[in-house]
Amino acid sequence: VQTGGKYLVSEKSMMRHIQKHTLHSVSTLEDIGQMPIEDMVELSEKLQKNRANIATVQGASAGFGGVFTLALDIPVILGIALKTLQEIAMIHGYDPNKKGERNFIVKCLQFASSDVVGKEAILNELAQHYEKPNAAENMVSQLQGWQEVFFTYRDNFGMKKLFQMIPVAGMIFGAFINKSMIEDIAEAGMMLYRKRRVLERMNEQDNR
């Protein structure tokens, strides 16, 4: 997450994708950040559907081999999750290669896997830091580390993937589990990034 995760997404290819699916001329992330919120929502929803389909195929493929392919499925699906959040960040005009931005992506992962109390705590933390200009840098000192995310998802996988260990029958469970996971993570990213972009625009209006 802190280093290697930045290589999951290609900025150039994502820029071309955004340009292709919008009527606005965009050549930088700053240009994307000026797009209407509605366009960001539409692009994010299309991305969510596409990545969920990929995760479905991946889960079914891994489930076919049962326990023998399960070990390969976990890093692949986490990679899809990280890439999906990085792409959602770019759709909203943020650079996922920045360390502060990668911390925000970790928070999205934490939010998607947390209970109600955990979600409220994360929202309060993000509100405290991201409603203020240039607060992303402060997030670095507040983040306990991506290890928390790793352990959380490891425990969740242990429960969710139990039935996927059954060869052939695991295809159904694997496809459903992976699809649901990516949909939930993408939904969390879409909500948090949209809220952040809206708040930043409100702050810009107040400062004029």
Side-chain angles (χ1 to χ4, degrees):
V1 173
Q2 295 296 341
T3 55
K6 66 181 181 179
Y7 300 110
L8 289 171
V9 63
S10 170
E11 182 175 339
K12 291 182 179 179
S13 62
M14 193 62 191
M15 197 76 69
R16 289 194 298 267
H17 173 78
I18 295 173
Q19 178 66 77
K20 181 179 178 181
H21 292 85
T22 181
L23 299 176
H24 307 279
S25 177
V26 294
S27 57
T28 65
L29 289 174
E30 288 73 17
D31 294 336
I32 297 174
Q34 298 301 316
M35 292 193 314
I37 298 296
E38 293 79 7
D39 289 357
M40 297 178 180
V41 172
E42 183 178 354
L43 285 168
S44 297
E45 289 177 345
K46 289 180 179 178
L47 176 69
Q48 179 189 35
K49 183 177 180 180
N50 177 269
R51 293 295 175 261
N53 289 338
I54 293 175
T56 300
V57 174
Q58 167 62 29
S61 301
F64 182 80
V67 68
F68 301 103
T69 53
L70 180 60
L72 297 175
D73 185 40
I74 295 176
V76 171
I77 194 63
L78 284 175
I80 294 174
L82 283 172
K83 184 176 181 179
T84 300
L85 289 174
Q86 289 175 341
E87 291 170 331
I88 290 174
M90 292 188 66
I91 287 173
H92 290 79
Y94 300 102
D95 185 0
N97 290 327
K98 292 182 178 180
K99 187 173 182 179
E101 207 58 54
R102 296 201 296 274
N103 288 336
F104 189 87
I105 287 174
V106 169
K107 286 300 177 183
C108 292
L109 287 170
Q110 290 177 317
F111 184 88
S113 62
S114 299
D115 55 18
V116 175
V117 176
K119 283 180 169 58
E120 184 177 359
I122 291 171
L123 287 175
N124 289 336
E125 182 178 355
L126 292 179
Q128 178 183 357
H129 290 279
Y130 282 93
E131 287 182 5
K132 302 176 183 178
N134 302 321
E137 291 78 6
N138 297 331
M139 194 67 171
V140 177
S141 61
Q142 297 295 324
L143 185 66
Q144 295 180 354
W146 65 267
Q147 290 91 342
E148 179 181 342
V149 172
F150 174 80
F151 291 134
T152 298
Y153 278 90
R154 180 199 62 183
D155 295 340
N156 287 347
F157 266 113
M159 296 298 295
K160 292 179 180 180
K161 295 287 186 176
L162 178 63
F163 292 105
Q164 193 176 348
M165 293 184 181
I166 306 173
V168 182
M171 292 177 61
I172 300 175
F173 294 104
F176 175 77
I177 291 169
N178 283 12
K179 180 176 183 292
S180 299
M181 176 182 173
I182 294 302
E183 285 180 339
D184 291 344
I185 289 174
E187 190 69 31
M190 290 160 57
M191 185 198 73
L192 293 176
Y193 270 108
R194 182 165 63 246
K195 177 180 179 181
R196 179 176 164 191
R197 177 55 71 187
V198 169
L199 289 173
E200 287 184 1
R201 289 189 179 181
M202 291 175 61
N203 287 332
E204 290 174 1
Q205 290 291 334
D206 292 340
N207 293 330
R208 289 181 180 177

